[in-house]
Amino acid sequence: MTVLGISLGFNSSASLWEDGKCLASISEERINGIRNTKDLPIEAARTCIEVGRCSNTSNIVLAYSFYEDLSNDYLAQHLNNKQGFNSNKSPIENLKNILIENLDIGISRVERVEHHLAHAYSAYAVYGIHDDYTTLTMDGFGDGISARLIVNGEIKAELPLVKSFALYYQFVTGALGFKEHQHEGKVTGLSTDARLVYDQDTYEKVFMFFRRLYEDIEPLEELSEEEKTLFYNSHIVGFDKFLRLKKTIYNFVKSIIPSNLELKDSSSENYITKNLEAVAIAKAVQDFVVEGVCKFIATYNNGNITEHLYLAGGMFANVSLNRKIGERFRYKHIYISPAMGDEGTAMGAAALQFKANLLEFHPDYIIPAGIPIIYDNYHELTEKEIAATICTAIDGVLHYCSGRSEFGPRALMRRSSLFSAVDKEKTLELNKAMQRSEFMPYAPVCCEESMDILFEEGYEKYEESLQFMTVALKALPWVKEKYPGAVHSDGTCRVQVLHKDIPCERKAWDIVHEYTKLTGELLLINTSYNIHNKPTSASYKQCLDTHKQSGYFGTLYMEEF
């Protein structure tokens, strides 16, 4: 059986499976260059079929996930051409015909996969389904709910949209002047920066406001007539609550923040430090979310902790939250979906059709998942030569683009900018070239053999998840002094761990191992290769364009692998 999984809406994506195996997974943004695009993932699906070398394209099962009810209005708005679309047909018929006509495939049936179920299966697809497990899915909203807790297959609890911790975080991000759905990591960086001074009274005021709002003590603001029209025209379950919650949080934050504050336009550390209210708000929402998520887990699972915990959904892009969950609860193994956002629901929707096959760990479903580098005339370097090139690269940075791109938000040594973690100033130089402003150090990569001498005990429960850069671990004190470019001021480090015995990681492991032999450095900065507000570069042409737009900063090396 061949299954094409697609996710619609935010960061639309496609995932192609055949006979229980994932052949390819690609987000539409990696093709059209529009970050978090809502365009129908037609080109992503086309590329999955091409690079996945699907043997059966005449009898495909289409499995799709969407956080709202599918409508013809949505399809018409996000379809670049009208091929296959007929306003007189149902949305399901139109979706099917659009894909058939644009991709020249046959679709035997269409399955809609509930949003949070698709999130859960995005984790099961990669890590396999283990006995004695708890699954927590949590994001902004989907099918009317924002969270679901499952214990050994039984739904124990759900949270409605208005109780969405992810929306609290999203709306604070926007109210602070950042971009929703994109810059939540900046708020995390501000909230965990131990160097920053903040106003304690503001922190307490904000924290208690969020708590009262969550407990329905603080009323939501009413909608204007214009906002009511948005609600009436929406196909999102509970969209009125979404608009009222957003309005309430925005107005509250704006009442505290000075009117001249424009954090989004500033990369100056000193400037940020002076905004005591902004830092207090960031810390308050982070602490509120950590407290709330942990209480939700504890209420239904504290007395009977299972051996395994799966975390999926956009809330778990918050690497500090993921660490806190591990510290708070005694799960032996914690598996965080590598494609934790809505892009992962494409993979989850497809994987659900093969749930009996989800028994093993498959990092190869994430790391060599996407668009290949096609480059006929290149000189292939050995791993030792690549390691040496990092040391001698122009501007001290090697942009390393190898084989098929990753799936999900992290750069995992396939489309990465690599440089020494010892030189903190190099981060500022790269930020300037790539037009970025970051409040956290870039994430490093290391070999698994180095973990015991770099990080505190307890990381073992994240062993598989650490391959996808999804947790901020506590580094040992000497690591922060030695590698200031990789360790945050709170002593944490969002590391990717490579394994010699995992085939899809072996070449990257060899490169880092050779780099360590050459330099004595155990950590190497590994950040995504892209211009600010653009998706990670994927194709050969995109990689060249990124190099040009950066002013040819660093050395670019591409290989087919």
Side-chain angles (χ1 to χ4, degrees):
M1 179 169 69
T2 302
V3 178
L4 175 62
I6 64 170
S7 63
L8 302 177
F10 178 76
N11 199 7
S12 60
S13 302
S15 183
L16 184 67
W17 289 59
E18 192 168 65
D19 299 329
K21 298 290 184 182
C22 182
L23 303 181
S25 297
I26 299 169
S27 294
E28 188 75 8
E29 66 167 19
R30 300 295 178 94
I31 298 172
N32 68 13
I34 303 170
R35 191 167 180 180
N36 296 324
T37 184
K38 290 185 177 181
D39 285 355
L40 295 185
I42 293 172
E43 296 308 315
R46 189 193 314 279
T47 308
C48 281
I49 292 169
E50 291 174 356
V51 304
R53 298 177 182 176
C54 178
S55 63
N56 171 27
T57 59
S58 61
N59 189 30
I60 291 177
V61 174
L62 174 64
Y64 81 95
S65 178
F66 194 19
Y67 45 72
E68 62 181 84
D69 294 333
L70 185 61
S71 67
N72 280 337
D73 289 342
Y74 183 88
L75 293 175
Q77 182 180 355
H78 298 288
L79 181 63
N80 289 326
N81 66 69
K82 303 304 179 184
Q83 188 175 349
F85 180 80
N86 185 334
S87 60
N88 294 319
K89 293 187 176 181
S90 71
I92 297 296
E93 288 179 295
N94 273 320
L95 179 62
K96 178 180 177 180
N97 291 336
I98 287 167
L99 293 174
I100 287 173
E101 294 194 23
N102 280 274
L103 301 177
D104 191 24
I105 60 174
I107 295 178
S108 58
R109 72 175 193 273
V110 179
E111 299 281 348
R112 184 185 190 277
V113 178
E114 190 268 340
H115 187 71
H116 282 266
L117 186 61
H119 269 311
Y121 271 84
S122 74
Y124 303 154
V126 176
Y127 299 109
I129 302 176
H130 297 274
D131 294 332
D132 192 30
Y133 71 95
T134 297
T135 302
L136 177 58
T137 59
M138 188 170 282
D139 65 0
F141 60 87
D143 295 321
I145 65 172
S146 64
R148 175 179 290 160
L149 187 73
I150 299 171
V151 180
N152 292 323
E154 180 182 352
I155 297 176
K156 293 293 186 179
E158 294 179 339
L159 290 175
L161 179 152
V162 76
K163 303 291 186 183
S164 173
F165 293 110
L167 286 183
Y168 275 70
Y169 217 95
Q170 175 183 323
F171 295 153
V172 167
T173 299
L176 285 175
F178 299 118
K179 190 171 184 178
E180 291 183 24
H181 280 307
Q182 194 163 310
H183 294 153
E184 281 76 7
K186 295 181 184 293
V187 176
T188 305
L190 284 173
S191 72
T192 55
D193 195 329
R195 300 166 302 176
L196 300 187
V197 178
Y198 64 97
D199 185 79
Q200 183 65 33
D201 290 340
T202 299
Y203 170 88
E204 293 175 2
K205 178 181 179 181
V206 173
F207 187 92
M208 291 307 300
F209 173 81
F210 289 148
R211 183 180 281 176
R212 292 196 309 273
L213 191 62
Y214 187 82
E215 295 173 353
D216 299 322
I217 298 172
E218 191 77 31
L220 295 175
E221 296 196 20
E222 296 298 329
L223 298 180
S224 66
E225 291 304 313
E226 183 178 353
E227 291 164 337
K228 287 179 182 178
T229 301
L230 289 176
F231 162 57
Y232 295 142
N233 293 331
S234 173
H235 296 272
I236 297 172
V237 178
F239 192 58
D240 57 332
K241 297 292 196 304
F242 174 95
L243 293 174
R244 291 178 66 191
L245 183 64
K246 179 173 183 175
K247 186 176 184 178
T248 303
I249 291 176
Y250 262 71
N251 286 344
F252 176 75
V253 170
K254 293 295 186 182
S255 72
I256 296 173
I257 291 293
S259 59
N260 62 347
L261 176 63
E262 294 184 355
L263 273 178
K264 63 182 179 180
D265 296 326
S266 175
S267 59
S268 167
E269 213 167 80
N270 291 331
Y271 180 84
I272 295 166
T273 303
K274 294 177 182 177
N275 291 290
L276 308 184
E277 295 88 354
V279 178
I281 291 169
K283 288 182 179 292
V285 73
Q286 176 71 21
D287 290 349
F288 166 75
V289 165
V290 169
E291 177 191 81
V293 172
C294 288
K295 279 185 176 180
F296 182 64
I297 297 172
T299 300
Y300 298 98
N301 204 202
N302 203 33
N304 184 28
I305 294 295
T306 56
E307 183 174 353
H308 306 275
L309 173 65
Y310 296 88
L311 301 174
M315 188 72 256
F316 301 111
N318 190 313
V319 294
S320 180
L321 168 63
N322 297 342
R323 185 187 79 254
K324 294 290 187 179
I325 291 172
E327 292 172 350
R328 172 68 174 78
F329 300 100
R330 297 189 303 275
Y331 296 103
K332 291 183 179 179
H333 305 280
I334 298 180
Y335 311 108
I336 303 160
S337 177
M340 68 286 287
D342 283 352
E343 72 281 358
T345 61
M347 174 177 280
L352 176 63
Q353 314 307 313
F354 298 102
K355 58 184 177 182
N357 298 77
L358 306 180
L359 302 174
E360 300 176 351
F361 179 43
H362 274 285
D364 53 308
Y365 288 178
I366 295 295
I367 298 175
I371 298 169
I373 290 289
I374 300 175
Y375 184 16
D376 293 332
N377 300 310
Y378 74 95
H379 173 67
E380 185 171 359
L381 301 179
T382 66
E383 288 83 349
K384 187 174 183 178
E385 289 172 330
I386 294 171
T389 304
I390 297 171
C391 300
T392 60
I394 296 170
D395 302 309
V397 176
L398 175 66
H399 308 300
Y400 177 63
C401 303
S402 175
R404 289 169 62 182
S405 58
E406 310 90 336
F407 182 56
R410 310 299 190 210
L412 302 171
M413 293 287 288
R414 293 295 177 130
R415 301 293 187 274
S416 296
S417 295
L418 307 173
F419 58 94
S420 172
V422 173
D423 184 4
K424 188 177 181 180
E425 295 303 311
K426 192 59 61 183
T427 295
L428 301 178
E429 294 174 19
L430 181 66
N431 281 347
K432 183 177 180 180
M434 296 297 188
Q435 303 159 35
R436 301 174 181 172
S437 60
E438 297 293 338
F439 306 138
M440 294 178 74
Y442 286 129
V445 60
C446 75
C447 297
E448 65 168 328
E449 295 81 1
S450 303
M451 289 297 289
D452 285 343
I453 57 177
L454 290 170
F455 297 100
E456 292 182 0
E457 293 181 359
Y459 69 81
E460 297 84 359
K461 65 175 62 181
Y462 297 106
E463 181 181 358
E464 292 85 357
S465 294
L466 287 171
Q467 296 175 46
F468 309 112
M469 209 181 276
T470 55
V471 189
L473 297 179
K474 280 285 188 181
L476 293 172
W478 73 269
V479 179
K480 184 177 179 180
E481 297 179 9
K482 172 73 173 177
Y483 303 106
V487 182
H488 196 31
S489 62
D490 69 347
T492 63
C493 182
R494 177 170 57 90
V495 66
Q496 178 194 2
V497 182
L498 300 171
H499 297 74
K500 183 179 181 179
D501 58 351
I502 295 180
C504 66
E505 297 180 10
R506 179 55 193 266
K507 183 164 188 174
W509 183 94
D510 284 338
I511 291 170
V512 176
H513 180 67
E514 291 293 340
Y515 178 81
T516 298
K517 287 167 60 177
L518 282 171
T519 64
E521 298 173 16
L522 302 176
L523 292 175
L524 176 67
I525 295 297
N526 169 21
T527 186
S528 58
Y529 180 50
N530 64 284
I531 297 294
H532 182 55
N533 284 333
K534 293 288 186 180
T536 301
S537 304
S539 69
Y540 170 77
K541 183 179 183 304
Q542 287 173 346
C543 292
L544 286 178
D545 287 346
T546 297
H547 201 210
K548 181 179 180 180
Q549 291 171 40
S550 72
Y552 299 102
F553 181 85
T555 297
L556 173 61
Y557 172 68
M558 295 185 284
E559 62 182 8
E560 289 190 8
F561 186 29

